[in-house]
Amino acid sequence: MCGIVGYVGDASRTLDVLLGGLSNLEYRGYDSAGVAVGGDELHVEKRAGELDALEARLSDADVAFEGPVGVGHTRWSTHGPPTDANAHPHTDETGRVAVVHNGIVENYRALRDELEADGVTFGSETDTEVVPHLIARELRRGLDPETAIREAITRLEGSYALVVAVAGVDALFAARRDPPLVLGIGDGEYFVASDVPAFLEHTRDVVYLDDDEFVRLDHGGWTVTGTDGRRVEKDVRTVSWEAEQTGKSGYEHYMLKEIHEQPRSLRQCLSGRVDELGGRVVVDELDGLGTPASVQFVACGTSYHAALYGARLLRAGGIPATAHYAHEYATAPAPVTGEDLVIGLTQSGETADTLRALRKGAGRGAETLALTNVVGSTVTRECDHVIYLRAGPELGVAATKTFTSQLVGVNLLAAHLADGGGGRQRDLVSALRGLPDQVQAILDGSAASAVIEEFADSETFFFLGRGFDYPVALEGALKFKEITYEHAEGFAAGELKHGPLALVTADTPVFAVVTGDDEAARKTIGNVKEVEARDAPVVVVTDGVAEASRYADHVLKVPATDGRLAPLLANVQLQLVAYHMAAGLDRSIDKPRHLAKSVTVE
């Protein structure tokens, strides 16, 4: 995995379209890149490292990379390290077939042994390379290209988004099982990619593929068929956002741009969903959803922190709720009944672990609901209900605006469920309406960049919180480690004295989230005193309601608001902390090492 782009159209444009598409997909994270372009024969070039290494090699190539079809790929290593040989596309021994692939071929070892026994010589360590060799074998048996590809696919176990080019055939073939693929329908030209930004500058008309669908793209158009070969009718949708929305708009990094977009993304999430005059929440997508007997959240990474927050929020409203790592739930799902609700939080709508967990819940009879940012994504087509985050495109690998929109989304859900769908919570509605302006105030006045300068030489960072602040402390630590590459840990503040306190020294900055003035806040202040007594520098992120600032070396302030929403504001300060530390360390902020934006393998 990670980024796929394919093109059928003007032979003189193919290479530029592929390289432009791969550039637009760089945000997903990758460690090598390659292209295959051709017509009667295929020309392949691939390189480990950044895209500019591939572009430099192409500029020195002694053949013209022109042709009516082409495929490109940015790889995030799974089988084999990032080398030229392991980069995609992969070909058969004659170079007749070129394949790019996202996913994992789980039975590749058995297939490789079989092919090697037939005399095939492999040139890489990847699982993907078995695919072009399987296709080539079927071609040698006399099958036409489409049938040969279909036959090869039947041998694959695991997950795949495949795009295949065959020399002498002015067409591309693609197939999907689990990882996403989307078609772009242009004027006399056609695209296939793992994500819409790959071709958004060329067309906004898209077709989302479902599992076990097969595509042929040629100059005559596009067709989608099922495993039985029968044509599948697909809707063409128009993406609502423009290509320029995926640019940096003058910001140094996508992440910083997206942090500053949060007032707008929150307004979009709330638009039409809160009636301040009536003091009620109105979420049309939840019509028909009653109050469940219990709720199970499933999610990974940043989304799991939103799930922890959401489960606590529902429990506070009297609804039994738990949060589960999706990859754990998928292998050992909790018991459910037809009266229970399984909620998947996935920013991309394509997270493999979360999709599998939701399928487990649905298979046991539970209703399912998704909170996601991507219209048309797999999760939206499989769940019974969907709440769209409306955050707009997020290209930084480290999630920011989608997380705050998730926190708002679960508040909308909780308000809807609190009284059987009426959602009458005047105080919450008023606080929600004020959130965008309060986030803007933080962005305009944050002292995070100045505070973090003092800790540039520190190697370990702790993040503490209780109650609703605890998931935000975890998220603050995750964001910090993702983009700074420094060691950071988040803890429930009360756990500090049960072990982690042994690690606290004068060189361990501690970030404590303290909002409100309830029992949780007061006890967190007690934990702050514990680390202060060990000479640890303390940064308190607080609304000032409690007296936490008295015990802090530095204070990052947030506006006072409803206690359920204050952690969201604290999170914005922690986003800025992570960003400014990473910028000071000159890290690759938008493309952190080893990480991908959308994790589409389990």
Side-chain angles (χ1 to χ4, degrees):
M1 52 179 297
C2 187
I4 287 174
V5 60
Y7 174 74
V8 176
D10 184 342
S12 65
R13 278 171 34 86
T14 300
L15 184 59
D16 288 340
V17 169
L18 296 182
L19 292 176
L22 294 180
S23 177
N24 292 340
L25 294 176
E26 282 191 294
Y27 70 92
R28 295 168 68 91
Y30 70 104
D31 49 39
S32 59
V35 294
V37 178
D40 291 337
E41 60 180 317
L42 297 176
H43 302 298
V44 178
E45 193 59 70
K46 49 189 185 174
R47 283 290 181 271
E50 298 287 315
L51 187 58
D52 55 9
L54 173 64
E55 292 173 332
R57 181 66 187 93
L58 287 166
S59 67
D60 295 334
D62 54 8
V63 297
F65 274 72
E66 291 188 355
V69 301
V71 292
H73 191 270
T74 50
R75 176 178 184 253
W76 186 69
S77 300
T78 54
H79 292 68
T83 64
D84 292 353
N86 288 336
H88 295 214
H90 287 287
T91 64
D92 68 307
E93 291 176 288
T94 68
R96 184 182 178 188
V97 179
V99 173
V100 294
H101 167 226
N102 283 349
I104 294 178
V105 180
E106 294 176 356
N107 63 330
Y108 89 98
R109 187 71 259 179
L111 293 173
R112 181 165 179 149
D113 290 345
E114 174 188 317
L115 289 161
E116 287 178 330
D118 285 346
V120 172
T121 299
F122 280 75
S124 79
E125 303 168 73
T126 68
D127 57 330
T128 301
E129 196 186 348
V130 301
V131 182
H133 291 305
L134 288 172
I135 295 170
R137 185 170 68 180
E138 298 301 330
L139 290 172
R140 290 194 296 272
R141 291 173 176 171
L143 297 182
D144 64 88
E146 181 171 333
T147 305
I149 295 167
R150 286 182 179 275
E151 286 296 315
I153 288 172
T154 64
R155 300 295 311 282
L156 306 181
E157 297 175 7
S159 60
Y160 54 78
L162 292 165
V163 182
V164 183
V166 180
V169 182
D170 291 350
L172 287 180
F173 306 91
R176 175 200 171 166
R177 177 177 294 166
D178 293 334
L181 275 179
V182 58
L183 307 182
I185 312 303
D187 184 9
E189 56 184 4
Y190 304 93
F191 310 81
V192 58
S194 49
D195 204 354
V196 172
F199 54 72
L200 190 58
E201 63 198 270
H202 306 292
T203 181
R204 293 196 294 128
D205 292 335
V206 304
V207 175
Y208 294 98
L209 300 181
D210 291 307
D211 282 351
D212 297 318
E213 291 183 338
F214 184 95
V215 181
R216 178 186 174 110
L217 300 174
D218 57 37
H219 289 86
W222 56 279
T223 56
V224 179
T225 52
T227 54
D228 58 2
R230 295 183 181 179
R231 183 160 183 163
V232 178
E233 296 300 324
K234 305 289 290 185
D235 293 330
V236 178
R237 306 186 183 193
T238 300
V239 175
S240 59
W241 33 281
E242 303 286 348
E244 53 266 25
Q245 287 182 260
T246 63
K248 294 180 183 176
S249 302
Y251 290 94
E252 187 174 356
H253 298 98
Y254 284 117
M255 182 179 179
L256 185 60
K257 170 180 177 266
E258 288 155 6
I259 289 172
H260 280 265
E261 285 178 339
Q262 288 177 117
R264 182 174 68 182
S265 62
L266 293 175
R267 288 190 181 96
Q268 290 172 172
C269 186
L270 292 167
S271 179
R273 291 169 167 171
V274 289
D275 173 11
E276 191 165 10
L277 186 63
R280 60 193 301 265
V281 168
V282 182
V283 186
D284 292 338
E285 297 99 314
L286 298 181
D287 285 350
L289 176 66
T291 302
S294 72
V295 170
Q296 296 171 4
F297 287 91
V298 292
C300 305
T302 287
S303 294
Y304 175 71
H305 300 151
L308 283 173
Y309 172 90
R312 182 175 292 272
L313 194 65
L314 292 186
R315 290 197 301 270
I319 298 174
T322 52
H324 306 262
Y325 283 115
H327 36 80
E328 294 292 326
Y329 188 96
T331 55
V336 293
T337 70
E339 297 179 348
D340 297 320
L341 179 66
V342 177
I343 300 176
L345 276 70
T346 161
Q347 298 148 16
S348 68
E350 303 291 351
T351 309
D353 294 309
T354 305
L355 287 169
R356 186 180 175 199
L358 285 164
R359 290 164 184 160
K360 286 280 187 176
R364 294 186 169 205
E367 270 193 289
T368 56
L369 183 148
L371 273 79
T372 187
N373 195 42
V374 182
V375 177
S377 56
T378 301
V379 76
T380 68
R381 300 194 297 274
E382 294 192 6
C383 282
D384 299 312
H385 309 276
V386 179
I387 297 177
Y388 289 107
L389 302 179
R390 303 175 182 170
E394 184 178 70
L395 302 189
V397 168
T400 52
K401 63 179 181 176
T402 52
F403 177 67
T404 52
S405 291
Q406 284 177 329
L407 299 190
V408 167
V410 292
N411 270 282
L412 296 174
L413 172 66
H416 174 88
L417 296 179
D419 55 4
R424 296 189 181 279
Q425 296 192 18
R426 188 173 296 277
D427 291 344
L428 175 65
V429 167
S430 179
L432 286 168
R433 289 294 296 270
L435 269 182
D437 288 340
Q438 290 178 320
V439 171
Q440 188 63 60
I442 294 171
L443 297 173
D444 292 341
S446 176
S449 61
V451 166
I452 207 66
E453 289 179 3
E454 182 178 322
F455 309 127
D457 296 328
S458 299
E459 295 182 352
T460 298
F461 300 79
F462 282 4
F463 293 75
L464 308 179
R466 284 178 185 259
F468 288 116
D469 293 334
Y470 169 52
V472 166
L474 294 180
E475 175 61 13
L478 176 62
K479 212 56 53 195
F480 197 91
K481 70 181 74 173
E482 280 180 321
I483 63 171
T484 69
Y485 311 157
E486 300 297 323
H487 180 238
E489 292 296 331
F491 299 101
E495 279 296 296
L496 198 65
K497 56 186 174 292
H498 294 284
L501 196 60
L503 300 174
V504 173
T505 71
D507 295 319
T508 311
V510 176
F511 292 83
V513 183
V514 185
T515 62
D517 189 23
D518 57 5
E519 182 181 9
R522 293 190 291 273
K523 288 185 177 296
T524 304
I525 291 174
N527 301 125
V528 168
K529 293 177 182 178
E530 290 172 344
V531 298
E532 182 190 42
R534 274 78 178 174
D535 296 323
V538 177
V539 181
V540 168
V541 186
T542 183
D543 53 13
V545 179
E547 296 184 349
S549 58
R550 292 178 53 186
Y551 308 100
D553 297 284
H554 301 281
V555 177
L556 294 174
K557 297 179 180 179
V558 300
T561 186
D562 187 287
R564 292 164 286 188
L565 301 181
L568 183 153
L569 299 175
N571 170 72
V572 176
Q573 286 283 23
L574 294 181
Q575 291 173 351
L576 292 168
V577 163
Y579 175 82
H580 288 298
M581 176 61 89
L585 295 171
D586 196 28
R587 303 303 193 211
S588 178
I589 290 175
D590 288 330
K591 295 176 286 182
R593 66 188 182 197
H594 309 320
L595 300 181
K597 181 63 175 172
S598 179
V599 183
T600 55
V601 295
E602 296 181 65

